Amino acid sequence: MPVSEPPNVMDVPIRDESIRLGQFLKLANLVESGAEAKPVIQDGAVQVNGEVETRRGRQLVVGDVVTLGGQSARVSDEDAGDDLPW
């Protein structure tokens, strides 16, 4: 059964082919800092593609959707632009 995508997903472009989960949370402004990313990931508050992820070093690739606290961000290609409001 396919995972349904959460509403209001923002696209966040990355420069390389992959990015670590902790780095992506900061890039997408889902956390203030890398130090803040560690406990929320360890506590099981972060989902990747609809499943709880507790590995900060998890490699994300284009198309992966990360959700934290009701906010979701999709890893996108740098060429795609972004949906960030700033």
Side-chain angles (χ1 to χ4, degrees):
M1 184 165 88
V3 176
S4 63
E5 190 170 285
N8 302 324
V9 176
M10 63 181 167
D11 285 320
V12 180
I14 61 171
R15 286 192 302 264
D16 300 314
E17 290 186 14
S18 65
I19 187 170
R20 286 191 186 97
L21 177 57
Q23 293 172 317
F24 184 75
L25 287 172
K26 185 177 175 196
L27 179 66
N29 287 320
L30 295 176
V31 296
E32 295 287 320
S33 67
E36 186 183 331
K38 185 176 181 178
V40 297
I41 294 169
Q42 287 178 337
D43 290 346
V46 177
Q47 291 186 349
V48 176
N49 300 328
E51 296 184 10
V52 172
E53 180 57 72
T54 56
R55 298 171 295 162
R56 187 173 57 165
R58 158 85 184 258
Q59 291 290 318
L60 304 174
V61 295
V62 171
D64 284 341
V65 176
V66 177
T67 303
L68 172 63
Q71 293 184 294
S72 297
R74 181 188 308 110
V75 181
S76 68
D77 191 300
E78 189 173 44
D79 297 335
D82 65 46
D83 292 336
L84 297 175
W86 49 90

